[in-house]
Amino acid sequence: MEKLVKTKISLYLRNEPKRSTVGILIPANTILKYIESVEGELVEGVDDWYKDENGKYFWAGGVVKIENGTPKLIWPLEQLYKKITTPFSEIWVLNKKKRHTGIDIAAPAGVVVYAVGDCIVKKIGFLDENKTMAQYVGVEHVQNNYCTAYLHIDPIVKIGDNLKAKDVIGHTAQLIGMGPHLHFNVWQGTYDSSISHRGALPSVEYAGKIKPILDPAFPGNFIDPMSLSYSG
């Protein structure tokens, strides 16, 4: 099979059923396991399944590359709040030259925001100079080599705090100019103080042409939060 990608990462969770290129239906919530496929080129943006010479499957549109396996995370809000209003990779409503680095989850102001796993708080700040978009909290999950960020919230934590899964990070904030919600994103690797909490990155064709000029093209190290598995 052409267009395969060599990788040593072994887990990928698919959230909806998908029929492979060889006609086999991959059920929803199936964790695909493989150690290493044959070498080749990853076709970015192609939403299709591929099968290597050893009969192992992977999805050409993206692979979760978190070390120590794909983590089981806590949903960042109460289970009542699971409506996604803006998905990962969608063109950003505030700048059509950028794409959304996470998911927006609908919730009224004042809803508790939880840490999705054990972590350390790395950065807290306001999202805009006028403070109309409230604050963000960026954390690092050291054991699994990934980070998460929680945007448009009123934090109750401070930098350096060590948190356990489902510890309270803050509450969804009342915003000016848009309805309250939580933007949640997942960043692969160690925390990058300038990028890991970012709500959008430039599309490939605009990288280096719009501010901030040094921003990488989408997706950078961001992965789709909905490609992961969550519990209450």
Side-chain angles (χ1 to χ4, degrees), residues 53-169:
E53 60 187 7
N54 298 313
K56 298 182 182 296
Y57 292 93
F58 73 97
W59 181 53
V63 178
V64 175
K65 297 181 179 178
I66 293 176
E67 292 182 1
N68 300 327
T70 304
K72 181 83 171 181
L73 306 179
I74 299 296
W75 187 247
L77 300 173
E78 293 293 343
Q79 291 293 313
L80 174 64
Y81 305 107
K82 298 193 90 171
K83 181 181 179 181
I84 308 302
T85 55
T86 307
F88 179 77
S89 83
E90 187 153 301
I91 294 175
W92 195 35
V93 65
L94 298 180
N95 186 334
K96 295 187 182 302
K97 296 179 180 180
K98 295 187 176 185
R99 291 189 174 271
H100 202 229
T101 58
I103 55 174
D104 285 350
I105 310 168
V111 171
V112 172
V113 178
Y114 298 113
V116 299
D118 296 353
C119 60
I120 182 171
V121 179
K122 301 295 288 186
K123 194 170 183 181
I124 300 172
F126 282 95
L127 288 162
D128 65 312
E129 292 182 358
N130 296 323
K131 303 181 180 180
T132 61
M133 307 294 285
Q135 298 183 71
Y136 66 86
V137 173
V139 307
E140 183 172 281
H141 306 264
V142 179
Q143 287 187 331
N144 291 99
N145 191 35
Y146 73 99
C147 303
T148 53
Y150 311 78
L151 282 61
H152 311 301
I153 72 172
D154 293 323
I156 65 169
V157 295
K158 63 183 184 298
I159 294 173
D161 281 353
N162 285 286
L163 306 178
K164 295 293 185 181
K166 212 163 185 178
D167 280 353
V168 177
I169 286 181

